[in-house]
Amino acid sequence: MGNNSDRRDITVETRELLALLGVDDTASNGTDSKVMSPVTGDVIGVVDTTSDAQVQEIIAKAHGAFLTWRNVPAPKRGELVRLLGEELRTHKETLGRLVSIEVGKTISEGQGEVQEMIDICDFAVGLSRQLHGFTIASERKQHRMMETWHPLGVVGVISAFNFPVAVWAWNSALAFVCGDSVVWKPSEKAPLSALACQALFLKAANTFGSAPAALSSLLMGGATVGEALVTNPTVPLVSATGSTAMGRKVAPLIAQRFGSAILELGGNNAGIVCPSADQEMTLQAVAFGAMGTAGQRCTTMRRLFVHKDIYDTFVPRLKKAYQVVSVGNPLTSNALVGPLIDKDAFDMMTNALKEATLLGGVVTGGQRVETDNQDTWYVRPALVEMATHDGIVLEETFAPILYVMKYSELDEAIAMHNAVAAGLSSSIFTKDIQEAELFLASSGSDCGIANVNIGTSGAEIGGAFGGNKDTGGGRESGSTVWKSYMRRATNTINYSNDIPLAQGVTFEI
């Protein structure tokens, strides 16, 4: 897997894809930071880090763009997002393949991520005519109260490697229709996909004809660049996706200046398999939820509670799936599982499996799959049967590890389900309506996403995406999330000839 010819070709192909997407050749041929494809382990580009002075200048220009863009009628702002969606439709296959090359996703998952971008653009276009508030009954005669929503300002976006383009779109499509400008710092592990998105946006803006310059901007670099973004007082909202550790650093910096944050952090997601579950359907859902994207989704299923009455029939079938699932180069094979992003991810997985074994865990899979390049990190997904819900099981490891445990009563399973720090996504598999409703009730799953008879991953853009507890509390994408990108004003209009005070207060001069 991955001979020398393949590795030379992937670098050439990356340059060709970037050119097709409209990226200037100089942008991916810098001198600072090498970009390595996890598929072959080879360098596919080099980008320059944005200096602190450049960060401040870019943000200042983005603020200037906001001052113009906020006065453009919202439906017209929606037209720009519609044009962006059209560019994404035209370049879906090209951008999707670039994503697969840069972060190791299978071809269908790379394409699926671009489809998410298209979907959120469609959602945002419709939303551009629905940014409405309420009319509120006033207690005072001949007074009208109403709620108005206004553009907020510069929106900072910090995204992670595992969804290198969709997260930007979730935030940007909404921000643009809400009247905001966007400054994006992508993961330093996936800057080329960000360059492509920026190029497609500029194509859409050129067709639109009157979008202000610097409405969308890029920052390249690591934590230092991110810190410069989140501490800038001209950025009223920062949407940051990453680890809980990252969130603990970012949140205080934003709070210190009374900024707002949308935090999408860790997720130690779990599923519960009840005795009445359709085992065939459940097997498919669990397998994708736990092994898809090589376990590198924030919504990956990491824990599974199986009822004792079906454990001995269901778990062996699941173990078989782990033993036969195909692992390999997603560009040259039909493998369902691609590579881990880098050696750090592999080391974390290895250490977690060692800790689980010390706690009595029985591991199926987890071995490294060798290639002819020692800089690639392909692994077989690991299923670990645990006797106790403790130790490393309570921690998120961003790798394809599924801890499986037995339960007797649903209340017991829900208690274990909720006994972790994060609260992102969750699932129950059952045909019993009482079990399903208990799981969705206030005493059930404590996650921001709670599903019945589907897995933990694969959220649609129409719903609010995000979680509770150590997941950060943020929400992105659909529902009423647009309100996070705007500021609210309560207006009272007096059309009488008097000045009656609220609450019956009197004050006469």
Side-chain angles (χ1 to χ4, degrees):
M1 177 172 55
N3 59 43
N4 290 333
S5 176
D6 290 338
R7 296 203 294 272
R8 282 196 301 272
D9 290 346
I10 201 173
T11 303
V12 173
E13 183 182 4
T14 300
R15 290 174 182 166
E16 292 172 347
L17 292 172
L18 289 170
L20 288 171
L21 291 161
V23 177
D24 190 292
D25 188 57
T26 59
S28 61
N29 284 284
T31 58
D32 291 347
S33 182
K34 294 179 180 179
V35 185
M36 182 179 292
S37 170
V39 177
T40 64
D42 286 283
V43 175
I44 54 174
V46 183
V47 297
D48 289 328
T49 300
T50 309
S51 69
D52 185 68
Q54 289 172 325
V55 171
Q56 307 313 320
E57 181 183 0
I58 288 168
I59 293 173
K61 289 181 178 179
H63 180 67
F66 158 70
L67 296 179
T68 299
W69 189 240
R70 65 181 177 177
N71 293 318
V72 175
K76 188 172 182 180
R77 299 193 298 250
E79 172 63 10
L80 173 58
V81 176
R82 187 192 70 79
L83 292 169
L84 175 60
E86 290 304 306
E87 291 293 341
L88 292 168
R89 281 183 171 87
T90 300
H91 297 90
K92 176 180 175 179
E93 183 176 342
T94 307
L95 181 57
R97 188 164 181 88
L98 178 64
V99 168
S100 294
I101 288 173
E102 190 166 33
V103 300
K105 289 192 173 186
T106 64
I107 296 299
S108 68
E109 287 184 297
Q111 301 291 314
E113 183 168 349
V114 181
Q115 186 61 50
E116 283 192 48
M117 302 174 77
I118 295 167
D119 292 345
I120 195 65
C121 285
D122 287 350
F123 179 90
V125 172
L127 183 66
S128 68
R129 294 180 181 272
Q130 301 179 71
L131 303 174
H132 44 64
F134 296 110
T135 298
I136 305 164
S138 173
E139 66 184 58
R140 289 170 284 188
K141 184 180 178 181
Q142 293 186 311
H143 282 60
R144 178 164 64 88
M145 291 178 66
M146 63 182 182
E147 182 181 84
T148 310
W149 293 88
H150 298 292
L152 182 61
V154 180
V155 173
V157 177
I158 298 175
S159 59
F161 78 86
N162 60 327
F163 277 84
V165 295
V167 169
W168 170 76
W170 290 354
N171 286 278
S172 295
L174 297 187
F176 292 144
V177 298
C178 288
D180 305 325
S181 57
V182 175
V183 177
W184 177 23
K185 192 206 85 65
S187 168
E188 57 270 36
K189 299 177 183 179
L192 302 184
S193 296
L195 290 172
C197 290
Q198 177 69 359
L200 293 179
F201 172 82
L202 292 176
K203 285 185 178 182
N206 182 61
T207 304
F208 182 75
S210 58
L215 186 59
S216 174
S217 305
L218 278 180
L219 306 177
M220 293 295 183
T224 301
V225 176
E227 183 174 349
L229 175 63
V230 303
T231 55
N232 191 300
T234 318
V235 183
L237 172 66
V238 176
S239 177
T241 301
S243 67
T244 298
M246 180 275 285
R248 293 194 193 284
K249 295 176 182 177
V250 166
L253 294 174
I254 300 172
Q256 190 172 16
R257 61 179 181 82
F258 299 109
S260 297
I262 297 173
L263 298 178
E264 296 291 351
L265 310 176
N268 195 350
N269 314 294
I272 298 174
V273 185
C274 300
S276 66
D278 181 323
Q279 291 194 30
E280 191 65 36
M281 181 180 70
T282 303
L283 184 69
Q284 294 288 329
V286 171
F288 173 72
M291 293 189 279
T293 326
Q296 297 171 121
R297 287 181 177 234
C298 50
T299 54
T300 291
M301 187 177 291
R302 309 199 183 280
R303 298 173 296 138
L304 186 68
F305 305 102
V306 182
H307 193 274
K308 62 181 180 62
D309 290 350
I310 60 170
Y311 189 95
D312 291 337
T313 57
F314 180 77
V315 174
R317 295 187 65 199
L318 185 59
K319 287 169 65 176
K320 180 66 174 177
Y322 270 73
Q323 291 165 344
V324 301
V325 69
S326 52
V327 179
N329 185 323
L331 306 176
T332 60
S333 73
N334 293 321
L336 295 175
V337 178
L340 294 176
I341 190 67
D342 55 23
K343 184 178 184 299
D344 288 343
F346 174 77
D347 289 343
M348 285 190 293
M349 179 175 180
T350 301
N351 292 334
L353 291 177
K354 287 179 180 176
E355 290 190 42
T357 301
L358 290 174
L359 288 171
V362 179
V363 180
T364 298
Q367 308 91 347
R368 184 179 181 187
V369 177
E370 297 291 341
T371 71
D372 63 355
N373 189 328
Q374 291 305 301
D375 291 324
T376 60
W377 303 94
Y378 291 84
V379 293
R380 293 207 64 79
L383 183 152
V384 188
E385 295 180 81
M386 300 293 298
T388 59
H389 185 247
D390 199 8
I392 191 65
V393 179
L394 305 181
E395 302 176 21
E396 179 191 32
T397 302
F398 213 63
I401 301 176
L402 179 65
Y403 301 107
V404 181
M405 289 143 286
K406 191 181 297 185
Y407 80 92
S408 299
E409 301 294 333
L410 183 56
D411 287 348
E412 170 197 6
I414 291 175
M416 288 190 291
H417 173 282
N418 293 345
V420 294
L424 179 52
S425 188
S426 57
S427 294
I428 190 170
F429 299 91
T430 180
K431 291 182 179 179
D432 186 318
I433 191 170
Q434 287 187 317
E435 291 177 331
E437 292 293 342
L438 282 169
F439 184 73
L440 301 179
S442 58
S443 56
S445 168
D446 63 1
C447 292
I449 300 170
N451 297 327
V452 177
N453 291 330
I454 63 171
T456 54
S457 58
E460 298 182 33
I461 60 91
F465 180 89
N468 309 319
K469 302 191 296 186
D470 279 10
T471 302
R475 295 296 186 274
E476 293 174 316
S477 197
S479 185
T480 58
V481 169
W482 62 270
K483 294 182 178 182
S484 298
Y485 301 86
M486 305 196 82
R487 62 178 178 86
R488 183 198 314 245
T490 300
N491 313 126
T492 304
I493 301 167
N494 177 6
Y495 56 95
S496 75
N497 294 319
D498 301 315
I499 299 292
L501 302 178
Q503 295 86 47
V505 173
T506 59
F507 184 81
E508 297 182 3
I509 56 174

